[in-house]
Amino acid sequence: MGSTLFRTKNIERSIQDTEEPEHALKKTLSALDLTVFGVGVIIGTGIFVLTGKVAKENAGPSVSLSFVVAAVVCALAALCYAEFASTVPVAGSAYTFSYATLGELPAWIIGWDLVLEFALGTSVVAVGWSGYIRSLLDNAGLHLPPSLSGREGAGGFGFDILAAGLVLLLTAILVIGMRLSARVTRLVVAVKVAVVLIVIVAGAFFIDTANYKPFVPKPEPVPAAGSLKAPLIQLVAGWVPSNFGVLGIFTAASVVFFAFIGFDIVATTAEETRNPQRDMPRGILGSLLICTMLYVAVSIVVTGMQYYNDLSVDAPLADAFKSIGHPWYAGVISFGAAVGLTTVCLILLLGQTRVFFAMSRDGLLPRFFSRVHPRFKTPHRPTVLLGVVIAVVAGFTSLSELAELVNIGTLFAFVVVAIGVVVLRRTRPDLHRAFRTPFVPMVPALSVCASLWLMLNLPAKTWLRFAVWLGVGFLVYFLYGRTHSRVGEEQRAAGRSGDATP
């Protein structure tokens, strides 16, 4: 049984499956499209909210260094993703990479994890987008009834019609095709980046260098906590993190790290890229570099405009402009955040449908979902199914407490991909690699250590919820996936034919 759980699907077979007419996705994406996708999903509310929150609570003006530290950690994982995505240009990202290196059960676990990560991420982002749109409507004198705003109205019913509507609209765009999705994303990302640049340039004229002193505030130990809300490492090892000071820079890095989550989704579109061997590394690393520069610039501006201790936790950039007598920029920032969340939602939904499609094509989920649309050449069945489910979930619940599951799921994927790079280097040294992760095994090892450290800093309750989800995944695999696996069926067929040979 152990051998069946860890049976692998070789890379040549994975690539061959992408050429089957009924399962083939249309190749339309360029390096620019991939970079835009990466920037589109990474830049969300984090750049408008997280910078001020972390500066005030964790690092002070040195939050800009925290973004650099977090970017280095992400870059370690990105280098591993770039090698895999260019070597195995197949939909599924970490799921496909794991199947080729670690085996079927680990691949199923990571695929199941990614389905959760992207589904919750899409729902949470859609609800956040709805909040910004309602705020803009309120400013214009238009008000939705509470029952259609996610809050309980008359009779106790509450449904977020805006969040659900956004998901359904994006689902339709994804069904029609990647070319339309790429065009929509280019337009929206251009608007979003323009708003961020306006904030950076305008804010630079109002910087007071006195606000940077002290650049690294005196350290303050974090009060000990004994509940499940405390970081797992604090409950297990008694380690107490510190705010401010040098250690505060790293504490803040573990928080702002999650503002970078999203570049890994670029890897899910490898099968729809015209030249994945060349363009995948460019898209993954390029989007990460652009977002790092924007995050660092925003953090420098906001901490220069207003003393870090006076920053707003909810809307630091908008309130910073208000504090200097320029409230007009608050509306621009809200507009930029609302526009930005549209692309985040689109690309998260895109990533999830591609992972689901890849798992279905391998037989681990019903193969009904692996047929592409005869005209659009998109995986329309899983796109519609997941779009409707996520729209309902986003409409009925805010999922605010479950958002951290997105973080632990992403870090878990980082660990698996880094290990997979080392394994594939050992098992298939002959394989052509258009992009090679430098300094193997040191870079993958550092990526694993950094990801595990950030996972240990997540609340214990997040670990419990993650364990429950994985437990459900084990049940689904053993009740369905293991017996319907295409690789398993081929092995059993080969065994029967071998038994019949005299």
Side-chain angles (χ1 to χ4, degrees), residues 149-291:
S149 302
R151 301 184 295 271
E152 290 188 5
F157 176 82
F159 186 79
D160 194 332
I161 189 69
L162 291 176
L166 174 67
V167 175
L168 293 177
L169 173 63
L170 297 179
T171 297
I173 291 174
L174 287 175
V175 167
I176 292 174
M178 282 301 296
R179 185 177 294 277
L180 176 60
S181 303
R183 286 174 178 171
V184 171
T185 304
R186 279 191 188 187
L187 174 63
V188 177
V189 169
V191 173
K192 175 167 58 174
V193 172
V195 171
V196 173
L197 291 176
I198 289 172
V199 170
I200 293 171
V201 174
F205 288 98
F206 303 107
I207 289 177
D208 182 354
T209 55
N211 290 328
Y212 292 133
K213 301 175 183 178
F215 189 74
V216 181
K218 294 181 179 179
E220 298 176 5
V222 177
S227 67
L228 291 178
K229 294 182 179 180
L232 183 65
I233 191 171
Q234 188 170 335
L235 296 179
V236 173
W239 183 84
V240 180
S242 170
N243 285 328
F244 306 109
V246 176
L247 288 179
I249 295 174
F250 293 94
T251 300
S254 68
V255 179
V256 300
F257 170 83
F258 303 119
F260 289 96
I261 286 176
F263 71 83
D264 55 316
I265 295 177
V266 175
T268 66
T269 62
E271 199 171 320
E272 293 157 277
T273 303
R274 290 196 291 264
N275 189 346
Q277 289 78 14
R278 181 195 66 190
D279 294 342
M280 268 289 144
R282 293 181 179 182
I284 293 172
L285 297 172
S287 60
L288 184 60
L289 176 62
I290 291 170
C291 292

Side-chain angles (χ1 to χ4, degrees), residues 13 15-25 361 486:
R13 177 57 195 277
I15 296 175
Q16 181 183 343
D17 285 349
T18 68
E19 298 168 356
E20 297 175 352
E22 68 272 23
H23 302 305
L25 298 172
R361 188 167 57 190
R486 288 183 66 182

Side-chain angles (χ1 to χ4, degrees), residues 21-362:
E22 68 272 23
H23 302 305
L25 298 172
K26 193 172 182 179
K27 298 181 182 296
T28 60
L29 300 179
S30 64
L32 176 61
D33 292 323
L34 298 177
T35 304
V36 169
F37 276 146
V39 173
V41 73
I42 295 173
I43 296 183
T45 53
I47 200 167
F48 301 105
V49 178
L50 202 58
T51 46
K53 175 180 171 63
V54 175
K56 181 173 183 176
E57 299 178 355
N58 304 106
S62 61
V63 66
S64 56
L65 298 180
S66 300
F67 275 108
V68 174
V69 171
V72 170
V73 174
C74 286
L76 295 173
L79 289 169
C80 298
Y81 268 91
E83 174 169 327
F84 258 130
S86 59
T87 306
V88 193
V90 178
S93 185
Y95 158 76
T96 301
F97 308 157
S98 303
Y99 212 161
T101 54
L102 304 178
E104 186 171 282
L105 180 59
W108 165 264
I109 293 172
I110 199 67
W112 186 252
D113 160 56
L114 290 174
V115 167
L116 172 74
E117 174 194 336
F118 295 154
L120 289 183
T122 306
S123 299
V124 171
V125 171
V127 171
W129 176 87
S130 173
Y132 277 106
I133 295 298
R134 286 199 306 272
S135 175
L136 291 173
L137 289 175
D138 290 342
N139 292 339
L142 302 173
H143 308 284
L144 286 176
S147 60
L148 296 180
S149 302
R151 301 184 295 271
E152 290 188 5
F157 176 82
F159 186 79
D160 194 332
I161 189 69
L162 291 176
L166 174 67
V167 175
L168 293 177
L169 173 63
L170 297 179
T171 297
I173 291 174
L174 287 175
V175 167
I176 292 174
M178 282 301 296
R179 185 177 294 277
L180 176 60
S181 303
R183 286 174 178 171
V184 171
T185 304
R186 279 191 188 187
L187 174 63
V188 177
V189 169
V191 173
K192 175 167 58 174
V193 172
V195 171
V196 173
L197 291 176
I198 289 172
V199 170
I200 293 171
V201 174
F205 288 98
F206 303 107
I207 289 177
D208 182 354
T209 55
N211 290 328
Y212 292 133
K213 301 175 183 178
F215 189 74
V216 181
K218 294 181 179 179
E220 298 176 5
V222 177
S227 67
L228 291 178
K229 294 182 179 180
L232 183 65
I233 191 171
Q234 188 170 335
L235 296 179
V236 173
W239 183 84
V240 180
S242 170
N243 285 328
F244 306 109
V246 176
L247 288 179
I249 295 174
F250 293 94
T251 300
S254 68
V255 179
V256 300
F257 170 83
F258 303 119
F260 289 96
I261 286 176
F263 71 83
D264 55 316
I265 295 177
V266 175
T268 66
T269 62
E271 199 171 320
E272 293 157 277
T273 303
R274 290 196 291 264
N275 189 346
Q277 289 78 14
R278 181 195 66 190
D279 294 342
M280 268 289 144
R282 293 181 179 182
I284 293 172
L285 297 172
S287 60
L288 184 60
L289 176 62
I290 291 170
C291 292
T292 299
M293 292 189 294
L294 291 176
Y295 277 151
V296 171
V298 166
S299 63
I300 291 173
V301 167
V302 73
T303 54
M305 290 175 63
Q306 192 173 20
Y307 190 62
Y308 76 91
N309 214 28
D310 298 326
L311 286 170
S312 163
V313 173
D314 298 322
L317 282 179
D319 288 350
F321 277 104
K322 288 180 182 178
S323 72
I324 58 173
H326 291 273
W328 179 82
Y329 285 101
V332 174
I333 293 167
S334 295
F335 174 74
V339 169
L341 290 181
T342 306
T343 56
V344 176
C345 201
L346 173 70
I347 300 166
L348 284 171
L349 186 58
L350 164 71
Q352 189 198 34
T353 57
R354 270 46 180 181
V355 173
F356 198 96
F357 170 78
M359 296 173 73
S360 171
R361 188 167 57 190
D362 290 334

Side-chain angles (χ1 to χ4, degrees), residues 426-482:
R426 298 288 177 86
T427 57
R428 293 294 306 275
D430 59 307
L431 196 65
H432 173 68
R433 292 166 171 83
F435 178 88
R436 297 177 68 88
T437 304
F439 307 113
V440 172
M442 185 177 70
V443 166
L446 289 173
S447 179
V448 169
C449 292
S451 299
L452 287 175
W453 172 253
L454 294 178
M455 289 174 74
L456 288 172
N457 279 277
L458 289 171
K461 65 178 181 179
T462 302
W463 282 82
L464 288 176
R465 289 169 175 163
F466 187 56
V468 170
W469 176 254
L470 291 185
V472 174
F474 275 111
L475 286 177
V476 174
Y477 174 75
F478 284 105
L479 292 176
Y480 182 88
R482 189 168 67 91

